[in-house]
Amino acid sequence: MVKAAVDDQLSRTFAALADPTRRAILARLAQGSATVGDLAAPFEMSFAAVSKHLRVLEGAGLVARGREAQYRPAMLDARPLVAASAWIQDYHRFWEAGFDALDDLLATTDTTERKDDE
């Protein structure tokens, strides 16, 4: 399998969000900072596996790590999600325009059918 280079921020963000475990980790971090142990608790995986997910999220700029004594709590950094949301919003407008045109067509068709029934 060929692995595509992920070199721009938007690609790194979407690549990180592609995994359901990473999305669940982000959802947990939206509630506040957490240690690897805290994040691993709801999953049947090792701390090392959770740490790998955190490294991907850090690489995408979605997670920052702090330092509290011997702990390195992870914190959500949602700034990269702004660009991802804006990109998705452009397509939302595209789909809305298509649905509006379909509504207009259906309204016209419905009116034409009523006239034919009379």
Side-chain angles (χ1 to χ4, degrees):
M1 177 187 337
V2 176
K3 189 170 183 175
V6 181
D7 57 0
D8 67 279
Q9 181 60 52
L10 190 58
S11 294
R12 285 190 303 272
T13 299
F14 281 121
L17 294 174
D19 185 276
T21 300
R22 289 193 288 269
R23 291 191 304 270
I25 289 170
L26 289 177
R28 167 54 186 86
L29 292 176
Q31 300 170 10
S33 64
T35 64
V36 171
D38 296 334
L39 295 170
F43 302 106
E44 291 185 22
M45 64 176 64
S46 67
F47 284 17
V50 171
S51 291
K52 285 183 180 183
H53 283 294
L54 282 173
R55 280 194 296 278
V56 172
L57 292 168
E58 283 182 272
L62 292 164
V63 168
R65 302 291 294 271
R67 185 168 299 281
E68 294 176 14
Q70 71 270 28
Y71 299 105
R72 293 201 55 220
M75 296 154 277
L76 174 65
D77 184 350
R79 289 178 294 180
L81 295 175
V82 173
S85 179
W87 187 86
I88 291 169
Q89 188 62 34
D90 288 341
Y91 287 91
H92 181 263
R93 285 190 285 273
F94 167 78
W95 283 108
E96 284 297 315
F99 288 137
D100 290 345
L102 181 59
D103 284 343
D104 293 344
L105 176 65
L106 291 174
T108 303
T109 304
D110 188 40
T111 304
T112 305
E113 287 178 2
R114 282 193 214 149
K115 287 181 183 178
D116 289 343
D117 289 342
E118 292 175 356

